[in-house]
Amino acid sequence: MDFKTDFIPLTVQPQEIEAYSFNIITEELGPHPFTEEQYPVVQRVIHASADFDLGLSMVFHRDAVRAGIEAIRAGKNVYADVQMIQSGISKPRIEKFGGDVRVYISDADVAAEAKQHNLTRAIIATRKAVAEQPDGIFVIGNAPTALLELIRLIKIGEARPSLVIGMPVGFVSAAESKDELAKLIDGDVPFITNIGRKGGSPVSVAAMNAISLMAERG
Amino acid sequence: MDFKTDFIPLTVQPQEIEAYSFNIITEELGPHPFTEEQYPVVQRVIHASADFDLGLSMVFHRDAVRAGIEAIRAGKNVYADVQMIQSGISKPRIEKFGGDVRVYISDADVAAEAKQHNLTRAIIATRKAVAEQPDGIFVIGNAPTALLELIRLIKIGEARPSLVIGMPVGFVSAAESKDELAKLIDGDVPFITNIGRKGGSPVSVAAMNAISLMAERG
């Protein structure tokens, strides 16, 4: 079946298309620096972005994938910085283990507190999530201030995430916030991030979904 | 204020960060082939992706921006192919003119009909949207089959979208579906698309939001 010249036959199942895409990715990517455990995450990020450079810019804390799998199985909540991430994450695979996918950036109390303190809503939403579950899973794909605040809370000992997926996109502070996260490489907080401006909701979702798939499959 | 070395001062407003990002984009992009009307759309797509190549790969039908603005003001609905796009689109700017942002891919009747006919849910959801409002605004950032079906319905005269934003991402049929859309360049259906594999929900949302901002600002 030649997908490239004949389009998708309408009856092809999404799983087949995904498998076919994954083969293309592996073939075109060639040799890479990722472990067997990390590669499915990278592969899914490339699948979501069609961007090999972005995939190759990824940085994994040594415990990231294993810790993420264990956190999902332990029923930890997943805290997203924006609605688009909450929409994209495969919720059944989180919920079946008892976890919930939550986002607080649009909450009225968050908006009010942000206004009162003249801070971004992303910062206040991060504090609310950390207060609720300091060892939750945090997925940040948009707001550098959310990631910077989470790093600050980690450093002062208030947050101890089971996993941080921090891949905000953008021109102001996104790359810098990820550099700060990458500096925690010798610490004991598991994280997944990438170097540079690129990133965003779909790739953060892709990384999360890759790990929840591993949690489910065992 | 040196954002690049000092991080975001926590009190900076999102609007200021956005304006600062837009300046960086314009400066780094340099000369480009887009009209004054198209450029804000390209700028916002680059802002959402941090990807200049993606921005430069965009293709506009001659009427796309103007027609999009008029459709929003006329209260046309916006039909998205996936939830992530519905989540990302600024709904108040659509709703204030009487339109609604809708997505049908997860509807039970769509799933049932897809199974019955052995077609993708994206195809059936596209048909449902077109049946409801043949001249709606269609935003497709994920499913090539949704875009291919919409093109088919345009060709047989069943759909006459006010605007198609078609920017699915991926390795199987995404680029081909966008090539098919780009072939309609001399037709009378306004569209925005891009060449190649890259694309996705956030850039589709960015294009839509750029146009709804113009509709609001006049």
Side-chain angles (χ1 to χ4, degrees), chain A residues 194-215:
Chain A
N194 74 296
I195 301 301
R197 289 169 169 175
K198 289 179 180 178
S201 304
V203 293
S204 304
V205 165
M208 187 69 236
N209 286 345
I211 291 175
S212 69
L213 262 173
M214 288 187 263

Side-chain angles (χ1 to χ4, degrees), chain A residues 79-82 103-107 110-115 118-130 138-151 153 168, chain B residues 8 10 12 14 17:
Chain A
Y79 296 95
D81 64 336
V82 292
V103 58
Y104 290 147
I105 194 144
S106 298
D107 286 8
V110 168
E113 202 178 326
K115 196 169 178 183
N118 199 22
L119 296 172
T120 69
R121 289 188 299 149
I123 290 172
I124 305 299
T126 301
R127 291 181 186 172
K128 183 172 178 176
V130 166
F138 292 80
V139 184
I140 299 172
N142 263 267
T145 59
L147 184 53
L148 290 168
E149 177 66 6
L150 183 60
I151 293 168
L153 294 172
Chain B
I8 297 178
L10 296 185
V12 164
I17 298 172

Side-chain angles (χ1 to χ4, degrees), chain A residues 145-175:
Chain A
T145 59
L147 184 53
L148 290 168
E149 177 66 6
L150 183 60
I151 293 168
R152 189 184 72 80
L153 294 172
I154 289 169
K155 287 181 176 173
I156 66 174
E158 288 194 18
R160 208 298 188 193
S162 297
L163 174 65
V164 181
I165 297 176
M167 301 183 76
V169 58
F171 291 87
V172 175
S173 294

Side-chain angles (χ1 to χ4, degrees), chain B residues 142-173:
Chain B
N142 265 269
T145 58
L147 183 53
L148 291 169
E149 177 65 6
L150 183 59
I151 294 167
R152 189 184 72 80
L153 294 172
I154 289 169
K155 287 180 175 173
I156 65 173
E158 287 193 17
R160 207 299 187 193
S162 296
L163 174 66
V164 180
I165 297 177
M167 301 182 76
V169 60
F171 292 86
V172 175
S173 294

